[in-house]
Amino acid sequence: MRKHNFGAGPGILPESALQKSAAAALDFNNIGMSLLEISHRSKDFDAVMIQTKSLVKELLGVPDNYSILFLQGGASTQFAMVPMNLLHKKAAYVDSGVWANKAIKEAKLFGDVHVVAS
């Protein structure tokens, strides 16, 4: 029996997904290179991203007029990335606790932040 990770972050994957990932790490789609070795600008990798975005949209019911972004970092990084990219002049935040306080503190570095509910 495999162990389960019930903490935040990565979780258990189906064995079939691990087997496909292991095979792609050796030879992706029979191209003679690993998925880990091909350029992120290659047509092979581009196809992976197109399919992945399509599957995410289908799974989550994301409308076609929305984009899917894959961003690095965990929650703390997102506290900076969201206002850095989306906050133009001012924003409203809900102070719901520890994580919200961290987000508010980071957002204040990028613009005028108002706490609208606490």
Side-chain angles (χ1 to χ4, degrees):
M1 181 174 167
R2 297 188 58 224
K3 292 183 179 181
H4 290 259
N5 175 4
F6 292 105
I12 192 166
L13 295 171
E15 192 169 323
S16 62
L18 295 172
Q19 289 171 348
K20 286 181 183 179
S21 297
L26 296 173
D27 186 1
F28 179 66
N29 286 348
N30 298 314
I31 64 169
M33 293 181 76
S34 161
L35 178 62
L36 306 172
E37 298 169 312
I38 63 175
S39 170
H40 66 284
R41 294 181 180 95
S42 71
K43 64 179 178 151
D44 294 301
F45 191 79
D46 192 41
V48 170
M49 292 304 295
I50 289 168
Q51 181 183 22
T52 303
K53 289 177 182 181
S54 175
L55 290 171
V56 168
K57 282 188 169 192
E58 179 184 334
L59 179 67
L60 300 177
V62 177
D64 287 337
N65 60 330
Y66 282 77
S67 296
I68 302 296
L69 301 174
F70 295 103
L71 305 170
Q72 293 179 306
S76 296
T77 302
Q78 299 304 315
F79 295 150
M81 289 178 78
V82 169
M84 187 183 305
N85 289 288
L86 302 175
L87 180 62
H88 297 291
K89 292 183 181 177
K90 60 183 176 178
Y93 276 73
V94 174
D95 184 353
S96 59
V98 174
W99 289 103
N101 283 320
K102 291 180 180 194
I104 291 166
K105 181 179 177 184
E106 197 68 29
K108 286 181 178 180
L109 298 173
F110 299 96
D112 187 16
V113 174
H114 301 276
V115 177
V116 295
S118 180

